[in-house]
Amino acid sequence: ADDYLSDPQRFGLDYALPAMFLALLIPQCKERLYTLAALLAAFLSVVLALCGTGRWNVIIASVITSTIGALLLTRRASRRTREKRRKSAGYGPFRRLPSHTEGKRMNIDLSLCIAGMCLVTLLPRVLPVTLLAGRTLPPLLERWLSFVPVSVLAALVAPDLLLSQDRLNLSTDNFFLIAAVPTLLVSWYKKGSLSVALAVGMGTVALLRHYWV
């Protein structure tokens, strides 16, 4: 018992943060474009970390991914608007065009809070929420903010899963990477159940360390 108490890693407690990030990331991948954004942010974060950018890899990867995602969403919205206008050409001069919506408005406060976690070294955490609360934002900025949660979470968790001692580790000794598989499956199957994802992830790491090492 003393051995277990003296080494909390035996219980997989050091995997709690990556498991939490994965559980929060899955619900953010609400459509294919956001899933691709998560993969891009993860890739950029790992590459930048290998280049020795420190924790700036998260900020840089998140900003680049959010910008690309916002531009792609804007392009898609413009294309759909043009298609609707072409289809509505035969409606007659007195018929109103159908209204176009971008879907459900994202929770801006949540996105800004996550962005504040990423940019805590530059701005106070509550400053963006204070400045933007209750204001109508430009559509492009709203689209950019909609990619912040998925980009930040993917950029944060990817180095923890893929890097060991600042080197890429894809071997079977990388228990975090192996545990990510059941964690992702549980997070996808039981969306919103953070406790289950944490239990499965940490339990997997604990079992691997007990029987594999």
Side-chain angles (χ1 to χ4, degrees):
D2 292 339
D3 293 338
Y4 282 94
L5 293 177
S6 62
D7 187 10
Q9 290 187 358
R10 288 177 176 265
F11 298 102
L13 296 179
D14 53 334
Y15 184 70
L17 201 58
M20 181 185 70
F21 287 152
L22 289 174
L24 294 174
L25 176 62
I26 292 300
Q28 300 298 328
C29 299
K30 44 196 173 186
E31 60 177 89
R32 183 175 61 179
L33 187 56
Y34 289 88
T35 302
L36 294 176
L39 295 175
L40 176 61
F43 173 77
L44 291 176
S45 181
V46 170
V47 171
L48 290 169
L50 290 173
C51 293
T53 57
R55 298 308 296 182
W56 282 96
N57 64 311
V58 175
I59 298 176
I60 297 173
S62 301
V63 170
I64 293 176
T65 302
S66 297
T67 302
I68 294 175
L71 293 176
L72 290 176
L73 269 185
T74 301
R75 180 181 178 183
R76 186 172 68 179
S78 300
R79 185 172 64 250
R80 289 179 177 178
T81 301
R82 290 194 300 267
E83 291 176 356
K84 285 191 174 183
R85 287 177 178 174
R86 285 197 296 267
K87 292 180 180 179
S88 65
Y91 287 173
F94 301 105
R95 187 164 182 176
R96 294 184 61 185
L97 296 178
S99 60
H100 179 73
T101 59
E102 290 294 329
K104 295 182 179 179
R105 182 174 177 175
M106 55 155 290
N107 191 327
I108 297 175
D109 291 337
L110 174 61
S111 299
L112 290 175
C113 286
I114 297 178
M117 293 172 58
C118 179
L119 304 175
V120 66
T121 57
L122 303 178
L123 295 173
R125 188 173 299 178
V126 297
L127 182 60
V129 179
T130 303
L131 293 177
L132 298 176
R135 297 186 180 183
T136 301
L137 301 178
L140 181 60
L141 181 56
E142 285 197 15
R143 296 184 187 112
W144 188 87
L145 289 173
S146 71
F147 282 93
V148 169
V150 66
S151 301
V152 172
L153 290 170
L156 282 170
V157 73
D160 291 335
L161 299 180
L162 298 174
L163 301 182
S164 297
Q165 298 180 348
D166 297 328
R167 293 185 178 182
L168 188 65
N169 184 4
L170 302 178
S171 67
T172 55
D173 293 332
N174 187 350
F175 296 154
F176 279 17
L177 184 58
I178 298 175
V181 176
T183 305
L184 286 171
L185 291 175
V186 170
S187 300
W188 176 79
Y189 181 72
K190 297 183 69 67
K191 291 182 175 67
S193 182
L194 182 60
S195 58
V196 175
L198 287 172
V200 170
M202 291 188 298
T204 302
V205 172
L207 289 174
L208 287 171
R209 284 176 176 160
H210 181 74
Y211 291 104
W212 202 300
V213 178

